[in-house]
Amino acid sequence: MAADLFIGCPPFPLGMDGLSQECVAVRRTYDSTATNPSIAVLEALADIKNKRPEELSGPNQPRLYDKVDTDALDQLLTDSEDLTVSFQFEQYRIRVTERELTVTLE
């Protein structure tokens, strides 16, 4: 199952200078007036892991709301323009704006 996390990403992505470059697992646009940013993040993580969003909240699973204040995330990004929120969750770096979501592997 872990191999699914690297779909489209080489095991050691290197730039032209030989240094590691970002490995984008998911990049998508969404409408923050129709979908809460926290839900968009959960859906992206579920897609990466090939699971349904509700499967990410089991007793042995790290939960997004234990690491990030999802209410604050939703409020910040639905009330603000030109704001980017970035945080780490598990092995992912997540960047969210009011219109775009990017999940990269760390």
Side-chain angles (χ1 to χ4, degrees):
M1 190 68 111
D4 291 344
L5 298 175
F6 296 99
I7 292 175
C9 297
F12 301 101
L14 296 177
M16 300 265 305
D17 58 3
L19 301 174
S20 291
Q21 69 181 181
E22 197 173 69
C23 182
V24 176
V26 171
R27 178 173 287 138
R28 63 176 60 149
T29 58
Y30 75 102
D31 179 2
S32 63
T33 62
T35 303
N36 284 338
S38 62
I39 299 300
V41 169
L42 283 175
E43 289 172 348
L45 291 170
D47 288 347
I48 292 167
K49 295 179 177 196
N50 199 26
K51 295 185 177 201
R52 295 187 319 264
E54 58 271 13
E55 293 179 296
L56 299 180
S57 61
N60 296 324
Q61 298 285 333
R63 296 176 300 228
L64 183 62
Y65 63 80
D66 287 339
K67 305 293 182 188
V68 175
D69 184 336
T70 54
D71 291 333
L73 178 68
D74 294 340
Q75 187 72 38
L76 278 169
L77 292 171
T78 54
D79 289 348
S80 303
E81 291 185 20
D82 300 324
L83 177 70
T84 300
V85 176
S86 180
F87 58 93
Q88 176 127 8
F89 180 73
E90 296 180 323
Q91 71 266 33
Y92 307 103
R93 169 65 54 194
I94 299 166
R95 283 189 299 269
V96 192
T97 69
E98 72 276 2
R99 291 184 292 271
E100 186 175 90
L101 166 68
T102 305
V103 181
T104 56
L105 296 167
E106 287 285 302

